[in-house]
Every structure is written in C-alpha cells, then in structure tokens.
Amino acid sequence: MPQGFFFNVLDVDKFATRDVYGKVLAELAESNRDIVVLTADMRLSNKTNDFAKVHPDRYFDFGIAEQNMIAAAAGMATCGKIPFVSTYAAFASLRCAEQIHTDIAYPNLNVRILSTHAGLSLGDGGPTHHAIEDIAIMRSMANMTVVVPADAKSCAKAIEESVSYQGPIYFRLGMGAEPLVYKGDFDYNIGKANIVREGSDLTVIACGICVMAAEKAARKLEKEDISVKVIDMHTIKPLDTETIIQAAKETGKIITAEVHNIIGGLGGAVAETLAEHGLGIKFKRLGIPDVYSAIGPPDDLYARYGIDSDGIYNASKKML
Amino acid sequence: MHRSIEELQEKAVEIRKKILEISAIAGGGHLGGSLSMVEILVALYYHAMRYNPKEPRWPQRDRFVLSKGHGILGLCPILADLGFYPEELWQDYGRLDSAFGMHPNMDKIPGIDMSTGSLGHGLSVGVGMALAGRLDQADWRVFVLLGDGELDEGSNWEAAMSASHFQLGNLVAIIDRNGLQVDGSTEEVMALEPLAEKWRAFGWRVIELDGHDLHQLVEALDSLPPANSTQPTCIIAKTVKGKGVSFMEGKGEWHYGGLDEEHTKQALEELERSHPGRR
C-alpha cells in the first residue's frame, strides 16, 4: 500500500466503524479498479479521506450537494463503476430519497450508499440530523438491500462482500465508535442473520448498536437463569425470515430493538413476518415511539427510549 | 454514414410523422415537447453520436440521457429507425407490460442509457457518466437533453456547478428552449433569463442557436471540443413547442394530449407538405 498501512479484517479491533470503511475501501480498491468513492463535504467526518489519500483519482467530493452526488453515482454505475457514496443518513435517506429511488433502485444499479451517523448517533444534532426513518424508506424501495452492521468488523465484512454483490445497497452506519460484538473471525453474509447468543426463554432481534445492548442485557439475564437468544439481524432486506420463524417457534417470545422509529423498521419487518406465518407469539418492538427525538447525548437518548441494555433488560423481564 | 443537411431535414419530417403515429397508438402523449426537440435528436443520432444498434451497451458509445424523459415519443422512432429495435416494440405502447410508457426505461428499451422521468436528474447522471469516461480515459461524450422548464429544479444547478468544477469537457448539455412549461411561459412561471449568462457564470461554454436549424446544430456539434478538454458545453437551442404542426406551435395546451382523427389528418398533411423537397 502506498501509504504504508495494511488492513486485515481479523486485525480490526483497534478501529472504530467510522475508521474502518475508508481503510477497507482503500484496500479493496487496490485490486478493483472500478471502485470509486463519492462524498459531500464529509471527507473528514466520515473518514473517507483514508481512501482519498491512497486513490485521489477515484475520489470525488461533490460539496454540499447530496442529490447531485447520488445521481452522479448512478451515472457512474451505468458505466461499470462501483460507487460507494457517503454522507449522513439523514440527508441520504430524506433529501436524496428520490434520486436513490429513481436513479439507483429503479434501474437496479450497483451503487453502495454508506449512510453514516444514522439513528440518534448525532444526539445533540437534533432531529434535523437524526435518521430514524431511513430503514422504512429504504426497505420499501424495490431492488434495494438494507444492511445495518453492528460493529466495525461486520461493517468491514459487509463492505468487502458488497463489491461483488448485484444491485444497490444501503449501509446504515452509526457514529462509528460502537463496541465490538464479534471476536476473532466469523461468518457474515448479507441476507443471513447471525446468532450472537443461543437462548431458550426469549429472543431479542436487533440491528446496529442494539445488538451489543441486547448481548449485555442477555448476560445480565443469564445471571438470573433467564436464557435469551440474541440475533444480529444485520440485513433488514432481504430479510432472513427463516431465522425469525425458527426463533419464534423455539422461544415463543420476541423483542426487536433498533435505533429507528418503531414504524417501518426492523420491528415492523419482523412483525410482518410473524403475522404472515400465523405466529401469534408475545412480541414487542423497541425503538423511538413515533416522536422526533429529544436532544441530548446518544447514550441518554437510548436510555430515554429504552433501547439500551437496561431498556432491553426491562422489556425482557416484563415480557417474561 | 454521412448525411446531407437535406437528408437530415427529411429525417426530421419522418420522425414527426412517427411521433403522431405512435401517440395515436398510445392514446396521447407529450406531443409539444417531443415535436420541439426533433432536430436536436436528428442532429445527434444521424450526425454526431457514436453507437452500435447491434450492441446497445457498447462501452465505447457516446451516452445520451433524455433528462426530459417525457419527450420519449421523439426518441422512440429514431432508435427504431436506427435498428435498436423493430417498430413492433411500440405497437402495445402504454398497455400492460409494454416496454414503452410516458418515460423511458433503460432495462426495457434497447438504446436507452438511463431511465428518466422525474425532472432534474439527468444532468447529474450525465456528470457521473462523464466522470466515469474521464477515469477510463475514454473519448466518448455524454449528451444530456434537458427541457427548459426543467431548469426550475435546483438539482440542475448543483450538476452545472459540479460539471465545471470537475472540468468535464466530455459533457454536453442541450436545452430544448421552447419557452413553455405546463403552467405557462417559462418567464411567467419561473423566469430563466438571462439563461446563457447563468450557464456562463457556472463555468460552461455556451452556444445559442436555432434548435430547428440543422445547419446550426450540425455546426455546433462538429465544433465540440475534444472529450479530454476541460470545459463542459451547453447548447441553448431555441425551439418552438409543437413544431411542425400549425395548430400546436407555441401552444402550451399541447404539452400533453391526443389528437382526434381530423386533427391527425391535418397534422400529417402539413408535415407531408413540409418535406424539404416539396417546399
């Protein structure tokens, strides 16, 4: 590598998610000439600068003009490029919804949207900078794949897989300092949920940072002899319904947890699956209760809306 | 194959007749804006552009983005005439599962480089294509045809700014300046003038011409700077909405509609008389 760094997915523990994708892309772009990276005056905050330093000719800063950037990425994809487009999730999913729908999803182009700072991760940024509707918007677009990595390692793996994946992908990434869920090497495939922990009394299906929160809650419940299954449903679409159905049949109780409006996100997707399969089990969606979030530090907001480990613990106790 | 200006003018008349024929099958269409851009398309497809109908996605082709996707009636007969698909493809125009509707779909119509329809997207897509061509050091160009009313969309100006910033000499925007949009004249609805000055201020090389004069169009397209040059070109083509059919010319109400038998007959007779050899 020209800049003298080497990235290995097994060696990622020292990176936060936000530090990962720029480096992964820089590495992948060494062997794939079609990878290009686009950003909208975010090269420093979304760390795509790591790519820019190594591949300046394939890095395009569009300034604060996200709609133009997204449509340009579509144009590049029609010419065989694999554009990774990075901006804040709030702008990608809301301001650029039509460009993503019409220019990327409708023609089924290989654009990868790296939406950073999703959910409430920009806490005191307030609702203008929160993205709590993006899963609902993106998963209702035909052809679109929606991936919500739980940590830096899985983010790296998903990005690596995405290079050869057909069709558009919306990556929902957080602020980037999320604790690691995965240790060592592990299987991670877009469209296939990961069982983080086996359990028999109840299942928590989570995505993003709520996976770690669920894992922590499960550890606490284990001490009370309550066995909780934790599923990292990192791909919201296409949804791994088989794993959901199996968990419903095994544990009879499901809680979903996500940093998203409870309408239309992971919880909605799981609910649709349970209902359509006639699985009338105990079920609870944890998320933001159809309000614009308060302003505050993210951890305080997660506590407010019951999507931190205490919230998941309490919801589990209540359901049991 | 080199065609004389007179041959190109003949093509324009034939394409206009086809537009009316297809709109009759479709039960209507965006006639005004399809008729206004005929010479622009004829100059591009029968003179300037490089493509291969047998290999519609030939990587070395020039790209064309119909940003005013509602003008598909004008492009549809040209691609058939060039051999991208047989005329049978539009015989079910607008019906269930037809390849053709009000706007072009790149996955259903051979020769369409980008699906369009919603306004204000095409120039940005063209910027992306031009960047890809630049990366590959290719000599093909990107042509984007925009409506003038469409320029109300702010995204066009984001695209305009980025095209000059990225120094895309391989990008050509052509504006079908017919002066009318749905609610009235462009200057009444949302004034665009001074339009050429706006594009110049955004860093573009600007050519203003008569969009129905094939001499001028051919000359402008022949004088384009090489694809590896550094300034994008904007051609503002002054046109008449509904051009070629007297009762439609300059009439906003023909933005979208269908013709009854009597009007169709009159329009076809007028077009027949307008053949360059018979004028």
Side-chain angles (χ1 to χ4, degrees), chain A residues 164-248:
Chain A
S164 57
Y165 192 87
Q166 283 307 303
I169 306 175
Y170 180 82
F171 284 105
R172 186 188 207 233
L173 308 173
M175 184 75 164
E178 296 79 14
L180 287 174
V181 172
Y182 296 98
K183 308 274 185 255
D185 200 8
F186 56 102
D187 287 332
Y188 194 90
N189 297 299
I190 293 173
K192 179 65 191 156
N194 278 14
I195 314 289
V196 175
R197 159 188 294 262
E198 283 294 355
S200 53
D201 296 326
L202 177 145
T203 302
V204 180
I205 302 178
C207 63
I209 59 165
C210 290
V211 176
M212 194 62 203
E215 168 64 15
K216 282 183 182 166
R219 285 178 201 159
K220 195 171 166 188
L221 288 159
E222 192 177 30
K223 289 178 186 148
E224 300 173 26
D225 284 332
I226 297 166
S227 168
V228 176
K229 180 172 184 159
V230 176
I231 296 174
D232 174 7
M233 190 60 72
H234 51 77
T235 307
I236 313 293
K237 186 187 170 186
L239 189 65
D240 182 357
T241 53
E242 201 179 308
T243 296
I244 296 171
I245 292 164
Q246 195 185 340

XYZ file of all heavy atoms in Angstrom, chain A residues 164-248:
650
model
N -18.848 -7.540 -4.855
C -19.312 -8.472 -5.886
C -20.825 -8.703 -5.832
O -21.362 -9.548 -6.529
C -18.583 -9.810 -5.730
O -18.788 -10.314 -4.423
N -21.519 -7.929 -5.005
C -22.970 -8.100 -4.821
C -23.718 -7.374 -5.948
O -23.304 -6.302 -6.381
C -23.329 -7.487 -3.472
C -24.714 -7.787 -2.938
C -24.954 -8.939 -2.184
C -25.767 -6.896 -3.144
C -26.213 -9.196 -1.659
C -27.032 -7.154 -2.625
C -27.251 -8.298 -1.883
O -28.489 -8.542 -1.369
N -24.792 -7.962 -6.421
C -25.553 -7.336 -7.509
C -26.709 -6.487 -6.974
O -27.486 -6.947 -6.145
C -26.099 -8.410 -8.458
C -25.042 -8.974 -9.401
C -24.298 -7.890 -10.176
O -24.905 -7.095 -10.880
N -22.976 -7.839 -10.027
N -26.813 -5.273 -7.446
C -27.899 -4.384 -7.039
C -27.451 -3.389 -5.989
O -26.355 -3.492 -5.437
N -28.288 -2.389 -5.736
C -27.908 -1.330 -4.792
C -27.986 -1.772 -3.332
O -28.779 -2.645 -2.982
C -28.932 -0.235 -5.073
C -30.123 -0.951 -5.610
C -29.618 -2.161 -6.332
N -27.151 -1.146 -2.505
C -27.150 -1.457 -1.060
C -27.164 -0.152 -0.271
O -26.411 0.785 -0.589
C -25.893 -2.252 -0.646
C -25.727 -3.516 -1.497
C -25.958 -2.613 0.837
C -24.440 -4.282 -1.204
N -28.008 -0.129 0.732
C -27.998 0.982 1.693
C -27.346 0.455 2.966
O -27.894 -0.419 3.631
C -29.434 1.450 1.970
C -29.533 2.588 2.958
C -29.334 3.899 2.552
C -29.844 2.355 4.305
C -29.424 4.953 3.451
C -29.942 3.403 5.210
C -29.734 4.701 4.777
O -29.832 5.750 5.672
N -26.163 0.966 3.272
C -25.480 0.610 4.527
C -25.838 1.653 5.567
O -25.572 2.844 5.365
C -23.963 0.615 4.344
C -23.418 -0.574 3.610
C -22.990 -0.469 2.294
C -23.327 -1.806 4.247
C -22.472 -1.562 1.627
C -22.813 -2.910 3.574
C -22.388 -2.794 2.266
N -26.397 1.184 6.648
C -26.759 2.123 7.716
C -25.703 2.037 8.811
O -25.607 1.040 9.538
C -28.131 1.753 8.274
C -28.630 2.754 9.283
C -29.885 2.255 9.954
N -30.718 3.343 10.415
C -31.164 3.437 11.657
N -30.860 2.518 12.557
N -31.939 4.448 12.001
N -24.910 3.076 8.895
C -23.800 3.071 9.841
C -24.038 4.110 10.924
O -24.715 5.104 10.708
C -22.496 3.374 9.101
C -22.236 2.489 7.863
C -21.022 2.978 7.113
C -22.094 1.033 8.257
N -23.437 3.858 12.064
C -23.637 4.774 13.188
C -22.572 5.852 13.209
O -21.944 6.170 12.205
N -22.370 6.383 14.372
C -21.366 7.418 14.571
C -19.983 6.813 14.372
O -19.055 7.485 13.949
C -21.506 7.952 15.997
C -20.598 9.079 16.312
S -21.182 10.593 15.529
C -20.234 11.785 16.459
N -19.857 5.541 14.704
C -18.612 4.868 14.388
C -17.764 4.442 15.567
O -16.689 3.890 15.397
N -18.224 4.668 16.767
C -17.416 4.270 17.920
C -18.075 3.120 18.678
O -17.892 2.957 19.878
C -17.205 5.460 18.837
N -18.846 2.313 17.935
C -19.605 1.251 18.580
C -18.687 0.153 19.112
O -17.684 -0.187 18.488
C -20.597 0.632 17.578
C -21.665 1.599 17.077
C -21.170 2.544 15.985
O -20.095 2.293 15.421
O -21.848 3.557 15.741
N -19.041 -0.434 20.271
C -18.224 -1.539 20.794
C -18.342 -2.760 19.883
O -19.332 -2.925 19.173
C -18.851 -1.821 22.165
C -20.241 -1.302 22.066
C -20.192 -0.138 21.118
N -17.323 -3.593 19.902
C -17.316 -4.771 19.043
C -18.218 -5.873 19.573
O -18.191 -6.202 20.744
C -15.898 -5.313 18.912
C -14.951 -4.491 18.033
C -13.548 -5.078 18.110
C -15.439 -4.452 16.599
N -19.022 -6.415 18.696
C -19.873 -7.554 19.023
C -19.113 -8.842 18.745
O -19.203 -9.816 19.479
C -21.165 -7.515 18.176
C -21.974 -8.801 18.358
C -21.994 -6.290 18.525
N -18.352 -8.823 17.663
C -17.702 -10.048 17.188
C -16.238 -10.101 17.587
O -15.520 -9.108 17.525
C -17.832 -10.145 15.672
C -19.265 -10.277 15.222
C -19.986 -9.167 14.773
C -19.907 -11.506 15.280
C -21.305 -9.285 14.378
C -21.232 -11.641 14.878
C -21.923 -10.520 14.426
O -23.221 -10.647 14.052
N -15.845 -11.287 18.026
C -14.432 -11.518 18.362
C -13.877 -12.536 17.368
O -14.582 -13.426 16.925
C -14.305 -12.093 19.780
C -15.046 -11.282 20.838
C -14.184 -10.146 21.379
C -14.889 -9.425 22.519
N -15.438 -8.105 22.111
N -12.605 -12.404 17.051
C -11.976 -13.365 16.143
C -12.621 -13.332 14.772
O -13.205 -12.334 14.374
N -12.540 -14.434 14.047
C -13.169 -14.486 12.728
C -14.577 -15.057 12.872
O -14.880 -15.741 13.855
C -12.327 -15.346 11.769
C -12.674 -15.030 10.314
O -13.431 -14.075 10.080
O -12.190 -15.751 9.423
N -15.414 -14.772 11.904
C -16.804 -15.208 11.991
C -17.411 -15.144 10.602
O -16.926 -14.420 9.727
C -17.594 -14.315 12.965
C -17.536 -12.861 12.617
C -18.606 -12.234 11.971
C -16.410 -12.096 12.907
C -18.538 -10.880 11.626
C -16.343 -10.751 12.562
C -17.403 -10.151 11.930
N -18.490 -15.910 10.410
C -19.193 -15.867 9.131
C -20.109 -14.654 9.113
O -20.745 -14.332 10.108
C -20.047 -17.134 8.946
C -19.164 -18.338 8.640
O -18.077 -18.135 8.063
O -19.564 -19.458 8.994
N -20.150 -13.996 7.988
C -21.030 -12.826 7.879
C -21.427 -12.688 6.424
O -20.587 -12.434 5.562
C -20.279 -11.571 8.341
C -21.155 -10.364 8.598
C -21.691 -10.141 9.863
C -21.427 -9.435 7.595
C -22.476 -9.026 10.117
C -22.212 -8.316 7.850
C -22.731 -8.113 9.114
O -23.498 -7.005 9.367
N -22.681 -12.926 6.160
C -23.141 -12.837 4.781
C -24.388 -11.976 4.703
O -25.330 -12.153 5.486
C -23.457 -14.236 4.242
C -22.219 -15.110 4.204
O -21.252 -14.791 3.511
N -22.216 -16.178 4.986
N -24.396 -11.066 3.724
C -25.567 -10.214 3.522
C -26.776 -11.112 3.289
O -26.725 -12.034 2.466
C -25.327 -9.266 2.320
C -24.212 -8.261 2.657
C -26.615 -8.538 1.940
C -23.760 -7.386 1.497
N -27.843 -10.863 4.052
C -29.067 -11.655 3.882
C -29.195 -12.809 4.863
O -30.230 -13.469 4.904
N -28.139 -13.070 5.642
C -28.201 -14.181 6.596
C -27.916 -13.664 7.993
O -26.813 -13.186 8.282
C -27.173 -15.256 6.197
C -27.116 -16.463 7.108
C -28.405 -17.255 7.075
C -28.440 -18.304 8.184
N -29.831 -18.684 8.534
N -28.917 -13.761 8.882
C -28.765 -13.248 10.241
C -27.718 -14.052 11.003
O -27.487 -15.225 10.713
C -30.103 -13.314 10.968
N -27.090 -13.398 11.966
C -26.127 -14.090 12.825
C -26.730 -14.306 14.210
O -27.276 -13.369 14.803
C -24.845 -13.259 12.960
C -23.923 -13.454 11.780
O -24.331 -13.989 10.743
N -22.678 -13.035 11.927
N -26.595 -15.535 14.699
C -26.997 -15.803 16.080
C -25.803 -15.434 16.956
O -24.759 -16.077 16.908
C -27.337 -17.309 16.296
C -28.234 -17.836 15.174
C -27.927 -17.517 17.688
C -29.637 -17.353 15.158
N -25.967 -14.373 17.719
C -24.874 -13.910 18.573
C -24.820 -14.749 19.841
O -23.761 -15.011 20.396
C -25.070 -12.417 18.920
C -24.029 -11.939 19.911
C -25.028 -11.573 17.646
N -26.007 -15.186 20.296
C -26.086 -15.975 21.530
C -27.315 -16.874 21.425
O -28.378 -16.426 21.001
C -26.203 -15.018 22.720
C -26.774 -15.607 24.001
C -27.018 -14.536 25.041
N -25.750 -13.950 25.486
C -25.127 -14.315 26.607
N -25.638 -15.225 27.402
N -24.004 -13.739 26.950
N -27.143 -18.111 21.795
C -28.291 -19.027 21.822
C -29.056 -18.861 23.130
O -28.464 -18.491 24.161
C -27.824 -20.484 21.674
C -27.448 -20.872 20.255
C -28.638 -20.869 19.282
O -29.798 -20.664 19.705
O -28.379 -21.033 18.065
N -30.355 -19.097 23.094
C -31.161 -18.987 24.310
C -32.514 -19.624 24.082
O -32.900 -19.875 22.934
N -33.252 -19.877 25.151
C -34.490 -20.632 25.000
C -35.731 -19.945 25.562
O -36.856 -20.342 25.291
C -34.331 -22.005 25.670
O -33.895 -21.823 27.012
N -35.542 -18.910 26.389
C -36.714 -18.291 27.024
C -37.302 -17.146 26.204
O -38.500 -16.874 26.273
C -36.327 -17.749 28.411
C -35.925 -18.865 29.351
O -36.517 -19.965 29.232
O -35.018 -18.652 30.166
N -36.453 -16.465 25.457
C -36.882 -15.260 24.762
C -35.831 -14.925 23.691
O -34.670 -15.279 23.837
C -36.990 -14.118 25.785
C -37.341 -12.705 25.368
C -38.181 -12.061 26.461
C -36.107 -11.843 25.141
N -36.268 -14.258 22.631
C -35.309 -13.842 21.599
C -35.325 -12.321 21.462
O -36.399 -11.717 21.417
C -35.684 -14.444 20.226
O -35.726 -15.864 20.339
C -34.675 -14.032 19.159
N -34.143 -11.747 21.428
C -34.042 -10.334 21.055
C -33.438 -10.277 19.653
O -32.347 -10.793 19.416
C -33.168 -9.528 22.037
C -33.099 -8.066 21.587
C -33.724 -9.614 23.459
N -34.197 -9.689 18.746
C -33.694 -9.483 17.392
C -33.318 -8.016 17.271
O -34.161 -7.134 17.480
C -34.760 -9.851 16.338
C -35.203 -11.307 16.513
C -34.213 -9.618 14.928
C -36.298 -11.746 15.543
N -32.053 -7.769 16.992
C -31.585 -6.379 16.997
C -30.748 -6.099 15.764
O -30.369 -7.011 15.030
C -30.758 -6.116 18.265
N -30.512 -4.814 15.549
C -29.590 -4.425 14.477
C -28.785 -3.231 14.956
O -29.177 -2.529 15.892
C -30.337 -4.104 13.178
S -31.456 -2.708 13.287
N -27.633 -3.015 14.318
C -26.796 -1.880 14.695
C -26.319 -1.971 16.123
O -26.063 -3.069 16.644
N -26.237 -0.839 16.784
C -25.683 -0.833 18.141
C -26.568 -1.554 19.144
O -26.131 -1.889 20.238
C -25.408 0.596 18.656
C -26.696 1.413 18.661
C -24.324 1.279 17.853
C -26.553 2.666 19.493
N -27.827 -1.792 18.794
C -28.718 -2.500 19.722
C -28.326 -3.970 19.866
O -28.764 -4.633 20.818
C -30.169 -2.380 19.261
S -30.812 -0.716 19.463
N -27.505 -4.492 18.957
C -27.060 -5.880 19.098
C -26.199 -6.000 20.352
O -26.385 -6.904 21.165
C -26.267 -6.335 17.851
C -25.734 -7.740 18.058
C -27.151 -6.274 16.610
N -25.282 -5.081 20.522
C -24.418 -5.122 21.711
C -25.237 -4.877 22.979
O -25.007 -5.524 24.008
C -23.310 -4.072 21.586
C -22.194 -4.254 22.582
S -21.358 -5.841 22.352
C -20.661 -6.088 23.973
N -26.194 -3.965 22.886
C -27.058 -3.697 24.042
C -27.838 -4.953 24.413
O -27.994 -5.281 25.600
C -28.004 -2.544 23.718
N -28.323 -5.665 23.392
C -29.076 -6.902 23.641
C -28.177 -7.962 24.273
O -28.584 -8.683 25.185
C -29.667 -7.410 22.325
N -26.946 -8.029 23.764
C -25.993 -9.002 24.300
C -25.711 -8.712 25.785
O -25.681 -9.618 26.633
C -24.711 -8.960 23.456
C -23.508 -9.688 24.007
C -23.695 -11.198 24.131
O -24.650 -11.739 23.544
O -22.900 -11.829 24.856
N -25.548 -7.436 26.097
C -25.301 -7.063 27.506
C -26.497 -7.401 28.383
O -26.361 -7.909 29.500
C -24.988 -5.566 27.604
C -23.575 -5.218 27.199
C -23.346 -3.718 27.396
C -21.947 -3.324 26.958
N -21.809 -1.862 26.819
N -27.693 -7.114 27.857
C -28.909 -7.431 28.614
C -29.005 -8.941 28.828
O -29.384 -9.410 29.911
C -30.138 -6.915 27.856
N -28.648 -9.695 27.792
C -28.728 -11.155 27.883
C -27.764 -11.697 28.940
O -28.083 -12.639 29.672
C -28.432 -11.777 26.520
N -26.581 -11.074 28.999
C -25.599 -11.508 30.019
C -26.159 -11.295 31.426
O -26.023 -12.133 32.313
C -24.300 -10.710 29.869
C -23.452 -11.140 28.696
C -22.207 -10.253 28.608
N -21.635 -10.289 27.274
C -20.828 -9.359 26.782
N -20.499 -8.298 27.528
N -20.343 -9.459 25.567
N -26.809 -10.157 31.601
C -27.382 -9.842 32.917
C -28.516 -10.823 33.246
O -28.616 -11.325 34.371
C -27.902 -8.397 32.888
C -28.193 -7.797 34.243
C -28.497 -6.302 34.100
C -29.124 -5.760 35.367
N -29.603 -4.375 35.192
N -29.334 -11.107 32.245
C -30.470 -12.012 32.463
C -29.992 -13.445 32.719
O -30.631 -14.203 33.453
C -31.415 -11.970 31.252
C -32.212 -10.672 31.131
C -32.721 -10.463 29.707
C -33.382 -10.657 32.132
N -28.863 -13.774 32.124
C -28.308 -15.120 32.320
C -28.024 -15.376 33.789
O -28.196 -16.482 34.290
C -27.013 -15.244 31.486
C -26.489 -16.661 31.377
C -25.256 -16.736 30.481
O -24.499 -15.727 30.416
O -25.054 -17.772 29.852
N -27.585 -14.298 34.449
C -27.283 -14.432 35.884
C -28.540 -14.698 36.698
O -28.482 -15.135 37.843
C -26.588 -13.167 36.386
C -25.166 -13.047 35.862
C -24.511 -11.761 36.331
C -23.149 -11.613 35.669
N -22.788 -10.219 35.426
N -29.687 -14.396 36.090
C -30.967 -14.666 36.772
C -31.602 -15.933 36.217
O -32.814 -16.128 36.319
C -31.905 -13.463 36.577
C -31.327 -12.172 37.145
C -32.189 -10.950 36.798
O -33.399 -11.116 36.576
O -31.632 -9.839 36.750
N -30.758 -16.740 35.562
C -31.215 -18.006 34.975
C -32.255 -17.819 33.874
O -33.132 -18.663 33.682
C -31.753 -18.966 36.051
C -30.617 -19.593 36.821
O -29.514 -19.730 36.233
O -30.809 -19.920 38.015
N -32.174 -16.685 33.209
C -33.062 -16.461 32.053
C -32.211 -16.555 30.793
O -31.177 -15.883 30.680
C -33.761 -15.089 32.141
C -34.657 -15.054 33.389
C -34.570 -14.813 30.879
C -35.116 -13.668 33.762
N -32.642 -17.420 29.913
C -31.846 -17.719 28.732
C -32.370 -16.942 27.517
O -33.478 -17.186 27.046
C -31.902 -19.236 28.490
O -31.379 -19.547 27.229
N -31.574 -16.005 27.038
C -32.012 -15.135 25.952
C -31.202 -15.404 24.681
O -29.972 -15.448 24.713
C -31.860 -13.643 26.341
C -32.215 -12.725 25.166
C -32.753 -13.327 27.541
N -31.935 -15.587 23.606
C -31.290 -15.727 22.298
C -31.125 -14.333 21.699
O -32.070 -13.527 21.749
C -32.185 -16.589 21.402
C -31.659 -16.837 20.003
C -32.546 -17.878 19.298
C -31.982 -18.227 17.937
N -32.465 -19.522 17.438
N -29.955 -14.029 21.176
C -29.728 -12.716 20.565
C -29.383 -12.902 19.083
O -28.462 -13.650 18.741
C -28.587 -11.949 21.278
C -28.298 -10.624 20.566
C -28.951 -11.703 22.740
N -30.153 -12.234 18.258
C -29.929 -12.331 16.814
C -29.492 -10.973 16.273
O -30.143 -9.951 16.524
C -31.221 -12.777 16.084
C -31.608 -14.196 16.519
C -31.038 -12.704 14.568
C -32.947 -14.667 15.974
N -28.385 -10.981 15.544
C -27.945 -9.777 14.832
C -28.598 -9.812 13.447
O -28.116 -10.469 12.540
C -26.411 -9.779 14.722
C -25.886 -8.619 13.855
O -26.698 -7.754 13.455
O -24.667 -8.595 13.579
N -29.715 -9.101 13.324
C -30.418 -9.065 12.033
C -29.835 -7.897 11.229
O -30.471 -6.858 11.047
C -31.925 -8.900 12.266
C -32.756 -9.101 11.008
S -32.589 -10.731 10.245
C -33.494 -11.775 11.413
N -28.596 -8.117 10.797
C -27.884 -7.012 10.133
C -28.453 -6.677 8.761
O -28.298 -5.563 8.287
C -26.398 -7.344 10.011
C -26.133 -8.687 9.414
N -26.242 -8.939 8.086
C -25.809 -9.871 10.010
C -25.968 -10.220 7.861
N -25.709 -10.815 9.009
N -29.096 -7.667 8.128
C -29.712 -7.364 6.840
C -31.224 -7.258 7.037
O -31.890 -8.236 7.365
C -29.391 -8.448 5.797
O -27.975 -8.639 5.748
C -29.886 -8.030 4.421
N -31.732 -6.055 6.878
C -33.173 -5.853 7.061
C -33.899 -6.275 5.788
O -35.062 -6.649 5.803
C -33.489 -4.373 7.366
C -32.553 -3.822 8.448
C -34.944 -4.203 7.774
C -32.712 -4.387 9.811
N -33.182 -6.170 4.672
C -33.762 -6.588 3.402
C -32.651 -7.023 2.470
O -31.689 -6.270 2.297
C -34.554 -5.423 2.787
C -35.311 -5.813 1.538
C -35.913 -4.590 0.927
C -36.459 -4.937 -0.442
N -36.930 -3.751 -1.139
N -32.695 -8.219 1.877
C -33.750 -9.225 2.075
C -33.689 -9.834 3.483
O -32.612 -10.148 3.969
C -33.422 -10.269 1.009
C -31.952 -10.124 0.763
C -31.645 -8.678 0.962
N -34.843 -9.975 4.091
C -34.934 -10.377 5.491
C -34.791 -11.897 5.634
O -35.384 -12.660 4.864
C -36.289 -9.925 6.048
C -36.512 -10.054 7.556
C -35.554 -9.136 8.328
C -37.955 -9.729 7.917
N -34.016 -12.296 6.615
C -33.816 -13.718 6.894
C -35.021 -14.220 7.704
O -34.954 -14.372 8.923
C -32.511 -13.902 7.664
C -32.195 -15.361 7.961
O -33.029 -16.242 7.622
O -31.134 -15.620 8.535
N -36.116 -14.463 7.025
C -37.358 -14.833 7.716
C -37.237 -16.211 8.376
O -37.858 -16.453 9.403
C -38.543 -14.841 6.729
O -38.204 -15.668 5.613
C -38.825 -13.440 6.221
N -36.424 -17.064 7.787
C -36.277 -18.413 8.338
C -35.773 -18.358 9.782
O -36.278 -19.056 10.670
C -35.272 -19.167 7.458
C -35.355 -20.671 7.542
C -34.333 -21.299 6.603
O -34.308 -20.926 5.405
O -33.539 -22.114 7.073
N -34.770 -17.511 10.006
C -34.202 -17.394 11.352
C -35.226 -16.802 12.329
O -35.284 -17.200 13.498
C -32.923 -16.523 11.293
O -31.955 -17.211 10.489
C -32.352 -16.273 12.663
N -36.058 -15.887 11.838
C -37.090 -15.289 12.697
C -38.128 -16.349 13.088
O -38.500 -16.487 14.259
C -37.788 -14.112 11.969
C -36.786 -12.983 11.698
C -38.984 -13.609 12.774
C -37.319 -11.887 10.790
N -38.566 -17.103 12.092
C -39.598 -18.122 12.341
C -39.082 -19.176 13.312
O -39.777 -19.574 14.257
C -40.024 -18.763 10.993
C -40.762 -17.724 10.144
C -40.897 -19.991 11.232
C -40.888 -18.100 8.679
N -37.830 -19.556 13.104
C -37.230 -20.560 13.985
C -37.167 -20.042 15.421
O -37.517 -20.749 16.374
C -35.831 -20.894 13.484
C -35.272 -22.173 14.089
C -33.828 -22.415 13.650
O -33.381 -21.867 12.641
N -33.117 -23.225 14.404
N -36.742 -18.781 15.578
C -36.642 -18.195 16.927
C -38.015 -18.106 17.572
O -38.176 -18.351 18.781
C -35.997 -16.816 16.839
N -39.020 -17.748 16.784
C -40.380 -17.635 17.323
C -40.865 -18.988 17.837
O -41.467 -19.085 18.908
C -41.318 -17.110 16.238
